[in-house]
Amino acid sequence: MPSASAFPPLYVQIRDYIRNGIESGEFGSGERLPSEKELSGRFKTTRATVARALQELVFEGLVQRRAGSGTFVLQPDLTIPFETTRIRSFDEQVAASGERISYRLLSFGEANDSKAIAALSEPAGSIYLLERLRLANAVPLSLERRFIPADIGDQLTVSALNTLSIHRILEELVQQPVAAIEGVIRVGSAGATLSELLKVQQGAPLLIRDYTLRNAEGRALVFGESFYREQFRIPYQVRQDD
C-alpha cells in the first residue's frame, strides 16, 4: 500500500483539480469556481490549504480572486489586429478570430448631450443614446455607449440592436455604410457600474475607444465610446514604403 508521502500534498491536488477542470471546459471562461468552503469540504481540508491552491492558480494567470465575490476563471486575452486599410467592425474582426459575438441591450432612448450633439452636427435635432454589452463567447467584453441622430435612431429595431453590429445596422437597415472611422484610444478604470456590467474588480484597468463613424459623404452617423476589459489587446505594425 502506498505511503501517505506518495500522494501529492492536498493543495496540489486541489490546484490540479481546478486546472484540469478549466482545461476540460468543466469550468468555463468567466465562471465562478466553487467556494473555499465547498472545496475544503470536498477535499476534507482547511480553507487555508484551499487558499494556497487558488493563489498558485492566480500566479499562473488562470483565475482571478475578487474580494467579496469569489474566484473566477480568467477570460483569455482577445487579440484583434489593427487594420488601417480596410473598414471592418470590431465584431467582424472578433468573429474572424473564431470567437462568438453576442449583445445584451441595456437601454435605447432619447438623450441630451451637448458634446454628442455637436459631434453629430445635429444642432436642431434630437439624438438617441444606445447602451449595450458586447459579449465574446457569452462573457462580457465591452460596454458600448453610442449617440445616434434621431433620423437614424428612428429606423432601428430592438431585434437589430440585440443581434447586429452597428456597422451592419447602418449598412443593412439605414442604407448608410460606414466609410470612415475617426477615433482615440485611451486608458481608464472601472467604476462601480462598469465593474458590475463587465464582471471585473472596481478600479480594474479598461481600454476606452472614442470614435466617430462617417458615411461616404462625411456625415457623422454615430459618435460614442466603448469600454473594454483588460483582456482585449490590439497588435499592430507600421511599415514605411520604399
Side-chain angles (χ1 to χ4, degrees):
M1 178 178 180
S3 65
S5 61
F7 295 98
L10 274 172
Y11 81 89
V12 173
Q13 295 179 42
I14 298 168
R15 180 199 65 194
D16 291 348
Y17 162 73
I18 296 174
R19 184 195 290 144
N20 292 336
I22 293 172
E23 292 174 353
S24 69
E26 179 183 353
F27 303 127
S29 178
E31 183 177 333
R32 185 180 182 276
L33 293 173
S35 67
E36 288 186 5
K37 181 179 180 180
E38 291 170 324
L39 288 169
S40 62
R42 179 192 295 262
F43 287 89
K44 296 180 171 52
T45 187
T46 66
R47 293 180 66 166
T49 299
V50 174
R52 180 178 179 183
L54 294 175
Q55 194 57 45
E56 291 214 354
L57 294 167
V58 170
F59 291 144
E60 292 179 23
L62 292 177
V63 304
Q64 179 186 58
R65 307 200 74 184
R66 302 177 193 165
S69 299
T71 304
F72 295 79
V73 180
L74 270 179
Q75 182 181 13
D77 286 346
L78 181 59
T79 301
I80 305 299
F82 180 68
E83 297 185 70
T84 59
T85 59
R86 183 181 177 190
I87 298 293
R88 284 209 302 175
S89 71
F90 168 83
D91 311 76
E92 290 173 321
Q93 291 172 283
V94 173
S97 70
E99 308 291 335
R100 180 173 57 85
I101 289 292
S102 59
Y103 308 94
R104 184 186 304 157
L105 180 62
L106 302 176
S107 65
F108 180 63
E110 289 192 24
N112 184 14
D113 186 288
S114 57
K115 183 178 178 181
I117 291 173
L120 293 169
S121 301
E122 296 289 334
S126 59
I127 60 174
Y128 287 90
L129 171 60
L130 164 65
E131 293 187 299
R132 66 178 182 174
L133 280 175
R134 181 192 282 123
L135 302 97
N137 299 325
V139 177
L141 174 65
S142 69
L143 170 70
E144 305 174 6
R145 297 186 76 249
R146 305 178 188 271
F147 293 95
I148 303 169
D151 66 305
I152 293 177
D154 288 340
Q155 301 179 58
L156 308 188
T157 65
V158 172
S159 175
L161 294 175
N162 272 311
T163 58
L164 301 177
S165 72
I166 197 67
H167 284 241
R168 285 190 61 193
I169 288 172
L170 291 170
E171 181 173 1
E172 297 177 11
L173 267 67
V174 186
Q175 303 297 305
Q176 294 197 53
V178 176
I181 304 173
E182 302 166 0
V184 173
I185 295 176
R186 54 190 171 92
V187 175
S189 60
T193 300
L194 280 170
S195 65
E196 175 66 24
L197 289 172
L198 295 177
K199 306 303 180 187
V200 297
Q201 285 185 309
Q202 192 164 338
L206 300 177
L207 184 149
I208 306 170
R209 177 174 166 245
D210 302 317
Y211 51 84
T212 302
L213 308 181
R214 298 186 183 275
N215 65 12
E217 288 72 42
R219 184 198 177 188
L221 306 173
V222 172
F223 170 77
E225 57 190 353
S226 291
F227 302 84
Y228 296 87
R229 292 170 55 133
E230 61 181 319
Q231 287 82 9
F232 176 61
R233 302 189 303 165
I234 308 176
Y236 68 94
Q237 293 182 342
V238 177
R239 294 175 180 166
Q240 181 172 305
D241 294 332
D242 295 332

